[in-house]
Amino acid sequence: PPPPPPPAAPAPIALYRVDVADHASVAAALAAAAAKGRKCVVVVPAGGAYDEAVAVPAGVTLRGAGEDAAAALRSVRLDGHGATCEGLTVSEGVTCSRGARAVALKRCLVSNAGDTGVASEAASLKLEHCVVDGCEDGVVVTRGSASVVGTAIRNCDCDGIFSVPKIQLLQDVTFDAIGRHEVNCKAGVVKTVGAAAAEAAAPSAAPLAWEGAEWVATPRA
């Protein structure tokens, strides 16, 4: 007889949902999610504008409900392991707390005139399908690691990306109107896809950083 069919895959477990509309503020909704002690998603109504600086706790996803009319916040801090921000407009930057693992910023528009757009000391940060626009430095990574994919970084007075540790630049990362360096990485870029200039560069004992239209070796600390 034929072998029995394989067992069906278990259905994905839905995250517990907390609606900002049911609370006095975004911060109150995040506090309610943290009190659940489990992974939660906090949903922000489409088109809302909240003059709040909020901290996303561990295991919580802060998600905008509308793609066409993204909700707006003043600033966001990804404050614990697995904290995620999705589909929001942030006018005064996003920060990632020191040592937080697996934090993520997805489908967000981030600006911060005169300061850093995304600043990270997290153990690991994923920046996916975002726009970082109108900042002094677009992305600054001082500790841990970061990977960037499908992201546009533009209109930055200084560096598009500045990093002390190694970073990963994956596919479809674009830069426009950057004042100094598109990528300035002290320890080098771990992997790039579609960066012909990087592949054509001669091997160097020193780490590589991006300066203008060339890969250049930067001195070690």
Side-chain angles (χ1 to χ4, degrees):
I13 300 174
L15 296 180
Y16 186 88
R17 175 172 172 146
V18 176
D19 286 288
V20 169
D22 297 332
H23 295 80
S25 64
V26 178
L30 288 167
K36 296 294 181 182
R38 54 181 287 190
K39 290 186 177 181
C40 297
V41 57
V42 174
V43 180
V44 186
Y50 301 86
D51 186 22
E52 292 187 61
V54 300
V56 183
V60 173
T61 295
L62 180 63
R63 179 180 297 161
E67 293 289 341
D68 297 329
L73 290 167
R74 180 154 47 92
S75 67
V76 173
R77 185 172 77 247
L78 301 176
D79 210 25
H81 304 329
T84 300
C85 180
E86 295 183 7
L88 293 168
T89 296
V90 184
S91 61
E92 293 184 11
V94 174
T95 57
C96 308
S97 293
R98 179 179 295 190
R101 297 190 301 270
V103 299
L105 190 65
K106 303 178 180 180
R107 299 179 291 103
C108 289
L109 170 60
V110 180
S111 58
N112 195 6
D115 210 333
T116 301
V118 180
S120 178
E121 293 186 308
S124 55
L125 163 68
K126 289 185 177 180
L127 189 62
E128 301 179 356
H129 307 293
C130 293
V131 175
V132 181
D133 187 7
C135 308
E136 182 176 8
D137 292 296
V139 179
V140 173
V141 181
T142 52
R143 291 175 180 267
S145 64
S147 63
V148 185
V149 59
T151 292
I153 301 174
R154 61 199 188 200
N155 299 317
C156 295
D157 296 332
C158 293
D159 294 332
I161 298 176
F162 175 85
S163 179
V164 176
K166 289 185 177 181
I167 58 172
Q168 286 185 319
L169 289 183
L170 304 180
Q171 68 271 21
D172 300 326
V173 179
T174 61
F175 300 89
D176 184 51
I178 305 300
R180 190 163 59 184
H181 308 307
E182 291 181 351
V183 178
N184 183 4
C185 186
K186 298 298 184 183
V189 175
V190 176
K191 178 182 179 183
T192 60
V193 176
E199 296 174 358
S204 172
L208 295 179
W210 184 259
E211 182 175 358
E214 299 178 354
W215 284 97
V216 297
T218 58
R220 296 183 183 275

